[in-house]
Amino acid sequence: MAKLEAPRKRPRLAVIKFASCDGCQLSILNLEEDLLALGEALDIAYFPEASSAMNAGPYDIALVEGSITTAEDAHRILSVRQQAKVLITIGACATAGGIQALRNWADVESFKRAVYPNPEYIQSLSTSTPISEHVRVDFELWGCPIDKGQLLRVMTDLVGGVQPRVPADSVCLECKRQGHVCVLVAKGLPCLGPVTRTGCGAICPSMGRDCYGCFGPSEGARKGPGLPPNTTSLARHFHDELQLIPVEVLRRFRGINGAVDPFRNESTVWENKG
Amino acid sequence: MAIASETCGILPSAHLQRLLDTLSAKGYRIVGPIVRDGSVVWDTVRSVSDLPIGWRDQQEPGRYRLEQTGSQEVFGVVHGAQSLKQFVFAPREPLLQIERSKDGFATRPTLPQSEKVAIIGARACDLAGLTIQDRIFLNDAYRDPYYASRREGLFVIAVNCTRALSTCFCASMETGPRAKHGFDLVLTEVDDSLLIEAGSEAGRDLLSNLCLSTGSEQLSAEAARRIEACAQSQVRRLDHSRLPQALYDAHEHPRWDELAGRCLACTNCTMVCPTCFCHTVEETPDLSHQQSTHTRLWDSCFTQEHGYIHGKNVRPTIKDRYRMWLTHKLASWIDQFGTSGCVGCGRCITWCPVGIDVTEELSALLTQDGRSSGTPQQMESS
Ligand code: SF4
Ligand code: SF4
Ligand code: SF4
Ligand code: SF4
């Protein structure tokens, strides 16, 4: 990916939204005092969620939130790419298509008719797709929402001219470091932690809940090093030992990151099992 | 007949608070098993009522459940996922604080303050695990000061096991169920009495402060009988008689492929193993790149990055990783450290989300001809 030169002046940052709930942008605002430091290290040129000063590109770093769900957005992302030296997707929508990618398995026209009195005004694509299906993406941050610590780390690395990296370990590794009791083993909950990428700090198990995979598949999500996680074995365990019926197994994998290959493939397998 | 009072005594379970109070008076923070979220975790104990009185654990591959017995048994829960590892080899240990200076950078070690911690309820397998970790981290040439600092303040009160879990196999590893060494005090719970024995100078000192009624041979004999019965009751065993070589010979065994179909490479087995010591280091700079924290974190041979050496991953597949783990744990540890890396605690069996059982895997790997990719039947007929 393009490296930022040793900065003579502060790198210009843009935060740009596509189809999303704004939660990842809120994670930036939630940086609190670190946000002030970020504002000093970077020139926040375009961030409509935070400021009415909206300066035109080009930008050194573009943080892109949201997926592509309209023809207009499919066009707009091309110009964002042109204006950005480094393009980083933030969150499950931009990185994986998000929860709205459930439409990829459904009939969008019937949704429109069910929700809107005048569905003919709605211009929408039949799919929700991640940014990487449209333009080259330099770095992806997973999560729904992203982890603000990971975001800060990536910004810190970019400002320092370092290639950012985030770990692709399972949630279990961090869950055990923190000493939580495993909800799968001790409560029989269908936790996706073993096949989900770390980053959240094992929030759900820390609250006694099963991970639902909001950081996407652990390693080898779509390309790059590593393997697709062994969803087959975990899904079989959910069904055989934890007594989930096939549609429940399917729904575990077809969630926030359901459109990413390893999870999509697993959910498809369970479509045909009754 | 009475047994020498300075090394042995009897405390009615109902008076256990006296032991805790004596420890507190000596400045120890007391840590014991606490019921939490359907299991036990180590946490600070202020009163005996914080301990899991009347609870028992049932463990099976991939499954852990607590149940209430209604009894006054104090140490009925054998163990949770946590061994003693976290007290000495911390899951997250800040090692250095680094600051940029005019002509480079300066580093300052951030040694943890040694804290006086008395751990009550450690099992024989936990002690065996701690002994192995001591050997690794306190080895003269590579003495780890962070580990050493945490280790220094520990006072260990072990409990001899009189009930084995279905997952325990310490008897076959010769590490339990009786705690042999590595403790300051050891308790054996016999009905409503606790037989206390000292295992160190500090333990004897504490015992003399307690002014206990002297131990009786009758109670000692009953305790010994129950510990032996616990050993006899263990349903799992690990045959290490042909290790390490037999596992090296099984390097191309078809079982590894079958295993790879089940293993999630989730790291849980290595996290809960009392002897696993793999770690990574993480650099956390501030935004201005003037300061950085250098932190050591628990890592695992099951992660993708663990197998990464410059430009290449030497363990890309789950098969490679599981084979690496089991072969190291049960075989090459023997060459490396003069001991097996397994103490038979059974934690990796219970806390594996899909219930993979080391004892079962090893026996499968050793019963067939490891150099063949054929089935055992084919081998026999040829
Ligand atoms: S609770 Fe979930 S994330 Fe934590 S160890 Fe268990 S399976 Fe893994
Ligand atoms: S535990 Fe799983 S679902 Fe919960 S926040 Fe973390 S990655 Fe998301
Ligand atoms: S390998 Fe398993 S049974 Fe052996 S010491 Fe480690 S966790 Fe315990
Ligand atoms: S053996 Fe079990 S606990 Fe260990 S990595 Fe594989 S699935 Fe996880």
Side-chain angles (χ1 to χ4, degrees):
Chain A
M1 73 188 264
K3 290 239 173 73
L4 297 180
E5 315 238 313
R8 267 149 294 155
K9 55 185 186 19
R10 292 181 304 159
R12 300 187 81 221
L13 176 80
V15 185
I16 297 153
K17 175 188 159 68
F18 288 83
S20 59
C21 77
D22 291 35
C24 290
Q25 297 188 64
L26 282 177
S27 300
I28 305 175
L29 296 176
N30 283 344
L31 281 168
E32 294 169 2
E33 60 257 47
D34 287 328
L35 185 60
L36 299 177
L38 198 65
E40 275 168 28
L42 298 165
D43 170 12
I44 303 179
Y46 182 91
F47 188 5
E49 173 102 7
S51 160
S52 53
M54 293 184 266
N55 301 309
Y59 310 108
D60 294 297
I61 306 170
L63 299 179
V64 174
E65 180 197 77
S67 66
I68 304 300
T69 56
T70 66
E72 188 196 350
D73 278 355
H75 187 68
R76 184 161 63 100
I77 189 61
L78 300 178
S79 96
V80 170
R81 177 66 267 188
Q82 275 182 347
Q83 294 180 69
K85 209 178 275 177
V86 174
L87 189 155
I88 300 175
T89 59
I90 55 169
C93 301
T95 305
I99 192 74
Q100 61 271 32
L102 289 178
R103 70 162 70 179
N104 303 3
W105 284 273
D107 173 16
V108 175
E109 293 307 314
S110 74
F111 289 168
K112 282 193 211 167
R113 286 193 301 273
V115 175
Y116 298 100
N118 297 99
E120 62 277 16
Y121 293 136
I122 307 297
Q123 305 285 319
S124 186
L125 298 171
S126 61
T127 56
S128 166
T129 43
I131 302 301
S132 62
E133 282 192 23
H134 299 265
V135 295
R136 181 173 54 80
V137 171
D138 296 302
F139 199 78
E140 295 177 325
L141 273 176
W142 296 81
C144 179
I146 53 164
D147 174 72
K148 60 182 184 178
Q150 278 200 339
L151 177 77
L152 189 66
R153 181 55 197 269
V154 168
M155 293 294 114
T156 304
D157 287 347
L158 283 175
V159 168
V162 177
Q163 168 82 54
R165 52 168 284 277
V166 290
D169 309 329
S170 67
V171 174
C172 298
L173 179 59
E174 184 56 26
C175 186
K176 280 287 186 294
R177 281 178 188 147
Q178 294 187 13
H180 304 307
V181 173
C182 176
V183 300
L184 193 158
V185 171
K187 289 190 193 163
L189 295 177
C191 187
L192 284 182
V195 296
T196 298
R197 176 180 288 251
T198 193
C200 67
I203 301 177
C204 296
S206 80
M207 300 290 168
R209 290 201 40 184
D210 41 337
C211 168
Y212 50 91
C214 86
F215 269 64
S218 44
E219 62 184 75
R222 60 167 71 87
K223 56 178 189 264
L227 300 158
N230 192 351
T231 53
T232 311
S233 173
L234 189 64
R236 192 169 53 217
H237 186 78
F238 287 173
H239 179 264
D240 295 354
E241 305 295 329
L242 306 185
Q243 318 285 318
L244 265 61
I245 58 172
V247 68
E248 292 172 321
V249 179
L250 179 153
R251 285 184 186 145
R252 289 310 288 163
F253 291 94
R254 194 173 293 173
I256 286 168
N257 286 294
V260 189
D261 273 351
F263 288 180
R264 174 171 51 202
N265 296 342
E266 195 56 47
S267 74
T268 307
V269 167
W270 291 86
E271 247 172 21
N272 308 318
K273 294 199 182 180
Chain B
M1 207 170 95
I3 293 172
S5 65
E6 65 273 20
T7 58
C8 180
I10 297 174
L11 181 69
S13 301
H15 295 176
L16 181 57
Q17 189 66 40
R18 276 178 55 206
L19 173 61
L20 304 191
D21 292 343
T22 311
L23 287 164
S24 299
K26 286 190 173 288
Y28 285 102
R29 177 168 73 90
I30 304 163
V31 167
I34 305 284
V35 172
R36 184 175 301 157
D37 301 329
S39 180
V40 292
V41 296
W42 295 114
D43 206 347
T44 303
V45 170
R46 287 185 188 78
S47 128
V48 172
S49 62
D50 293 337
L51 294 168
I53 298 170
W55 290 94
R56 280 192 169 187
D57 51 339
Q58 298 300 342
Q59 302 192 29
E60 289 162 43
R63 187 182 155 93
Y64 187 106
R65 290 294 183 276
L66 281 184
E67 57 188 40
Q68 233 160 351
T69 60
S71 78
Q72 285 303 303
E73 193 181 25
V74 185
F75 298 104
V77 176
V78 178
H79 58 44
Q82 300 170 331
S83 65
L84 299 178
K85 178 162 83 172
Q86 69 200 58
F87 295 106
V88 279
F89 169 35
R92 185 176 296 269
E93 182 85 84
L95 301 178
L96 299 172
Q97 191 62 39
I98 302 167
E99 305 224 2
R100 211 186 269 282
S101 59
K102 255 205 210 98
D103 40 6
F105 59 88
T107 59
R108 182 170 54 81
T110 45
L111 268 184
Q113 283 212 326
S114 177
E115 188 199 6
K116 283 179 80 175
V117 178
I119 300 171
I120 186 164
R123 303 289 166 155
C125 56
D126 296 330
L127 301 178
L130 188 62
T131 305
I132 291 176
Q133 290 235 319
D134 283 352
R135 198 175 311 183
I136 293 158
F137 282 96
L138 301 178
N139 189 316
D140 285 346
Y142 305 102
R143 189 179 163 82
D144 183 81
Y146 302 88
Y147 183 101
S149 170
R150 293 182 183 278
R151 182 73 175 93
E152 202 180 86
L154 286 195
F155 184 92
V156 179
I157 304 163
V159 171
N160 284 323
C161 291
T162 50
R163 180 179 71 95
L165 304 162
S166 86
T167 46
C168 293
F169 56 100
C170 63
S172 69
M173 301 310 289
E174 293 136 40
T175 55
R178 179 190 283 282
K180 293 186 199 97
H181 46 74
F183 55 85
D184 295 291
L185 291 176
V186 63
L187 314 177
T188 313
E189 187 169 17
V190 182
D191 304 327
D192 48 11
S193 298
L194 292 163
L195 180 70
I196 309 189
E197 295 158 272
S200 72
E201 206 43 60
R204 270 185 286 281
D205 182 45
L206 198 112
L207 209 53
S208 65
N209 281 354
L210 276 173
C211 305
L212 299 177
S213 57
T214 52
S216 75
E217 261 182 12
Q218 205 186 352
L219 193 72
S220 297
E222 178 58 16
R225 196 192 61 74
R226 292 194 188 189
I227 296 165
E228 181 50 30
C230 168
Q232 294 301 329
S233 74
Q234 295 189 1
V235 292
R236 283 187 163 75
R237 59 187 305 274
L238 190 140
D239 176 15
H240 50 87
S241 59
R242 292 190 292 131
L243 296 177
Q245 194 53 46
L247 204 44
Y248 299 151
D249 292 342
H251 193 258
E252 300 304 328
H253 201 289
R255 182 76 175 192
W256 299 117
D257 292 302
E258 191 273 334
L259 249 168
R262 284 179 283 137
C263 175
L264 310 167
C266 68
T267 80
N268 274 299
C269 48
T270 52
M271 294 294 105
V272 299
C273 181
T275 68
C276 277
F277 53 79
C278 278
H279 51 265
T280 182
V281 281
E282 186 182 82
E283 208 58 62
T284 317
D286 72 342
L287 246 179
S288 61
H289 288 266
Q290 295 306 306
Q291 293 177 16
S292 185
T293 310
H294 192 68
T295 309
R296 175 166 77 193
L297 303 169
W298 281 359
D299 197 12
S300 167
C301 52
F302 282 92
T303 71
Q304 184 254 320
E305 273 195 17
H306 195 277
Y308 184 83
I309 54 172
H310 184 74
K312 187 173 165 54
N313 193 316
V314 293
R315 284 186 295 278
T317 66
I318 292 181
K319 170 185 168 181
D320 298 326
R321 299 180 204 172
Y322 190 92
R323 184 169 59 188
M324 159 75 199
W325 182 62
L326 200 77
T327 308
H328 187 216
K329 182 104 321 198
L330 299 180
S332 43
W333 274 68
I334 300 172
D335 295 330
Q336 197 180 358
F337 302 111
T339 170
S340 174
C342 176
V343 297
C345 72
R347 284 189 174 90
C348 58
I349 304 174
T350 299
W351 298 98
C352 171
V354 290
I356 294 173
D357 174 351
V358 271
T359 63
E360 189 186 324
E361 297 313 326
L362 183 73
S363 72
L365 285 157
L366 299 192
T367 42
Q368 302 167 13
D369 186 335
R371 283 154 300 196
S372 159
S373 57
T375 63
Q377 286 80 1
Q378 286 169 330
M379 282 310 298
E380 276 158 25
S381 59
S382 64

